[in-house]
Amino acid sequence: MLLRRVRKTQVAAKEKLKSLQEQHRGIEEKLVGVLGKVLETAKDSESDTDVGKRIRALLAKQGGIETLSAMRNGQRLGQQQ
């Protein structure tokens, strides 16, 4: 009886871990993609002012600085850690 409960808990924990890993993989891929776009923008721009404007526009298009920062911190928007 105890072993069944332990196995059931273990299976549920493994499923939860797999779900979290998939969720975080998606977040990491999105953030790495945004970083790649930022680097391309920086490489293609001629002046620092132009770089800043284009990067801010890019970040806004990707969800905004606040949303991307929350993703980086592992938070959902509006959630405190």
Side-chain angles (χ1 to χ4, degrees):
M1 191 71 150
L2 176 65
L3 289 178
R4 284 185 194 162
R5 238 185 282 153
V6 169
R7 269 193 222 118
K8 189 175 179 180
T9 301
Q10 186 179 26
V11 168
K14 285 182 179 182
E15 289 174 3
K16 178 70 174 176
L17 176 61
K18 186 175 180 178
S19 172
L20 288 171
Q21 287 173 331
E22 290 172 3
Q23 178 184 1
H24 285 269
R25 184 177 303 117
I27 291 170
E28 289 171 4
E29 288 173 357
K30 179 172 174 74
L31 291 174
V32 168
V34 171
L35 175 61
K37 291 176 184 178
V38 166
L39 294 173
E40 285 294 318
T41 299
K43 186 170 60 171
D44 295 342
S45 299
E46 294 184 18
S47 70
D48 289 345
T49 304
D50 184 44
V51 170
K53 287 179 182 177
R54 292 179 66 193
I55 287 176
R56 283 198 179 272
L58 172 71
L59 295 175
K61 191 160 68 168
Q62 298 297 318
I65 294 172
E66 191 172 316
T67 301
L68 294 169
S69 292
M71 289 172 67
R72 178 188 57 94
N73 293 330
Q75 299 173 326
R76 296 181 196 268
L77 202 54
Q79 183 182 47
Q80 296 287 329
Q81 271 191 338

